[in-house]
């Protein structure tokens, strides 16, 4: 309560609370990000589009003059061909799109939210069924991604904690004879330890890059794409963007067809799960950056932040009764002072008996609470490292990562 009061009173130009301020800042960032992306892509791709239009107009004109066909009839024929392409008909022989294998590939792109668009239902019954099928299928797949995120975070936390413990033993900070999970180990620096969000992001990033490179090495010779196109396809697919300009496993026949389709399925599954986990970890880093920006904005916009508090200049001092009258501390407070200047007085100053009694009551309550927590085991929320590693808080997948990391730490 004290921190929230100070936040609201400290910031005069930013009257929003932390969550609303973060939301507003993120919205502004996304809008600027979209504008910057649109500007860059328009600058890069617009000349190529103009060149392609001019080349296509010349081809149509030459074809019309060579075969004495009007441009109106020729464009009508091309529109019919485009409709045939939308139905899955190509000039080259491709595998059927609505046999069992093709339909299985289609439903996989639906529930994973990839949605290439090269296969779409054409009948009314198929479109209606897709609405209900996608509703439950997408929800179930997102749940699967979250469960996968739990397992991958648990694995990373287990491995990284083991490495951290080994480093402590090597540096002599942990007795070599102490077994993991023993009573001595529970009161040392490993209590509440969690891996850094940046280390998790680095590991997931390396794994995603390695997976994409291996998948591209498979797609390049089999599909006939160049390596850059294969990497582009991997990112578009694994991130479930799914443009549909490049789609794997669409030819009628492949060499080692069964092995290739199995490898394609495994790469798609692992890639989507890995990129989904990486996106969630990156979102935590973005949240930390937003919190840092908000903190800087508050400190610069408020003159009170640059003025020294006269009470803070007196070390080892208590302000008699001021903290208790402002906050009306109850027996349930944690009693964590913002600085030790609010907890003691100079030895040469005297305090009243009333202030001494009030401070002793609060100190006794804090001591009783700490003794109770020590006897029953430290709660998960008192760990100092919880806020330092970047995994604190969160909704949905972020909360899953935080809870899983806490459970992993407690289990050790």
């Amino acid at each position: 309560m004290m921190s929230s009061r100070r936040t609201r009173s400290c910031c005069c130009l930013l009257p929003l609370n932390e969550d609303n301020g973060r939301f507003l800042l993120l919205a502004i960032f996304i809008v600027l990000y979209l504008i910057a992306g649109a500007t860059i892509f328009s600058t890069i791709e617009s000349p190529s589009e103009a060149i392609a239009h001019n080349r296509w107009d010349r081809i149509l004109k030459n074809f019309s003059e060579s075969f004495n066909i009007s441009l109106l009839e020729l464009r009508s024929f091309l529109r019919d061909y485009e409709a045939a392409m939308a139905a899955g008909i190509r000039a080259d022989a491709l595998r059927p799109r609505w046999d069992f294998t093709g339909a299985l590939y289609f439903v996989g792109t639906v529930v994973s939210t990839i949605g290439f668009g090269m296969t779409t239902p054409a009948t009314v019954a198929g479109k209606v069924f897709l609405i209900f099928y996608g509703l439950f299928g997408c929800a179930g797949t997102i749940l699967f991604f979250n469960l996968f995120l739990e397992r991958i975070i648990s694995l990373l936390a287990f491995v990284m904690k083991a490495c951290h413990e080994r480093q402590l033993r090597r540096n002599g900070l942990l007795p070599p004879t102490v077994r993991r999970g023993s009573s001595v180990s529970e009161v040392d620096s490993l209590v509440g330890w969690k891996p850094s969000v940046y280390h998790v992001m680095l590991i997931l990033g390396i794994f995603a890059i390695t997976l994409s490179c291996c998948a591209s090495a498979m797609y390049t010779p089999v599909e006939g794409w160049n390596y850059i196109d294969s990497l582009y396809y991997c990112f578009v697919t694994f991130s479930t963007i799914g443009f549909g300009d490049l789609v794997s496993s669409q030819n009628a026949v492949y060499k080692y067809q069964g092995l290739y389709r199995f490898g394609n399925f495994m790469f798609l599954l692992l890639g989507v799960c890995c990129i989904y986990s990486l996106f969630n970890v990156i979102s935590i880093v973005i949240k930390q950056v937003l919190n840092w920006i908000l903190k800087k904005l508050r400190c610069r916009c408020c003159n009170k932040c640059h003025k020294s508090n006269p009470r803070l200049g007196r070390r080892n001092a208590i302000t008699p009764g001021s903290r208790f009258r402002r906050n009306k501390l109850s027996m349930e407070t944690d009693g964590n002072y913002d600085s030790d200047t609010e907890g003691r007085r100079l030895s040469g100053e005297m305090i009243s008996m009333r202030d001494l009694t009030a401070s002793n009551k609060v100190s006794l309550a804090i001591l009783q609470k700490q003794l109770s927590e020590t006897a029953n085991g430290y709660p998960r929320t008192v760990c100092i490292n919880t806020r330092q590693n970047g995994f604190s808080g969160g909704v949905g997948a972020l909360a899953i990562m935080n809870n899983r990391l806490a459970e992993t730490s407690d289990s050790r």
Side-chain angles (χ1 to χ4, degrees), residues 6-61:
R6 289 186 175 181
T7 301
R8 288 194 292 267
S9 62
C10 177
C11 187
C12 53
L13 297 181
L14 294 175
L16 302 175
N17 58 29
E18 185 177 356
D19 291 335
N20 292 336
R22 189 188 303 116
F23 173 78
L24 179 61
L25 189 62
L26 182 59
I28 296 174
F29 172 76
I30 290 177
V31 171
L32 295 178
Y33 195 77
L34 292 175
I35 294 175
T39 303
I40 295 175
F41 277 111
S42 178
T43 304
I44 294 175
E45 298 295 337
S46 182
S48 177
E49 182 186 18
I51 294 174
H53 271 292
N54 294 331
R55 182 170 62 248
W56 179 246
D57 290 339
R58 290 196 302 268
I59 292 175
L60 285 181
K61 185 177 180 180

Side-chain angles (χ1 to χ4, degrees), residues 25-229:
L25 189 62
L26 182 59
I28 296 174
F29 172 76
I30 290 177
V31 171
L32 295 178
Y33 195 77
L34 292 175
I35 294 175
T39 303
I40 295 175
F41 277 111
S42 178
T43 304
I44 294 175
E45 298 295 337
S46 182
S48 177
E49 182 186 18
I51 294 174
H53 271 292
N54 294 331
R55 182 170 62 248
W56 179 246
D57 290 339
R58 290 196 302 268
I59 292 175
L60 285 181
K61 185 177 180 180
N62 293 334
F63 188 87
S64 175
E65 292 175 354
S66 300
F67 294 94
N68 195 18
I69 302 175
S70 65
L71 288 175
L72 184 62
E73 295 178 350
L74 184 58
R75 292 184 184 278
S76 177
F77 172 77
L78 292 176
R79 281 192 291 270
D80 293 336
Y81 178 70
E82 289 176 354
M85 290 183 63
I89 302 174
R90 295 290 189 274
D92 298 328
L94 298 177
R95 66 172 179 82
R97 295 199 171 182
W98 289 110
D99 60 354
F100 180 78
T101 305
L104 184 62
Y105 192 85
F106 167 74
V107 296
T109 61
V110 170
V111 299
S112 62
T113 70
I114 295 176
F116 285 123
M118 75 322 174
T119 302
T120 56
T123 62
V124 176
K127 294 177 180 178
V128 172
F129 177 72
L130 176 63
I131 295 175
F132 295 98
Y133 186 84
L135 179 65
F136 294 99
C138 293
T141 305
I142 291 175
L143 176 60
F144 173 80
F145 289 159
N146 287 332
L147 295 178
F148 178 86
L149 182 59
E150 280 191 31
R151 271 81 186 155
I152 195 68
I153 291 297
S154 299
L155 178 61
L156 291 179
F158 179 81
V159 174
M160 295 176 69
K161 188 172 183 179
C163 295
H164 179 69
E165 185 175 350
R166 180 178 299 178
Q167 184 178 4
L168 290 178
R169 294 178 187 274
R170 186 178 302 174
N171 295 335
L173 301 178
L174 193 67
T177 58
V178 176
R179 295 183 179 180
R180 297 174 183 173
S182 62
S183 58
V184 178
S185 179
E186 287 296 325
V187 295
D188 58 14
S189 60
L190 291 178
V191 174
W193 184 88
K194 295 181 184 179
S196 170
V197 62
Y198 303 103
H199 294 162
V200 175
M201 182 179 66
L202 178 62
I203 294 175
L204 287 176
I206 293 175
F207 183 75
I209 293 174
T210 303
L211 189 66
S212 299
C213 292
C214 294
S216 300
M218 181 187 71
Y219 291 132
T220 297
V222 176
E223 297 290 347
W225 303 333
N226 59 57
Y227 195 76
I228 300 299
D229 286 343

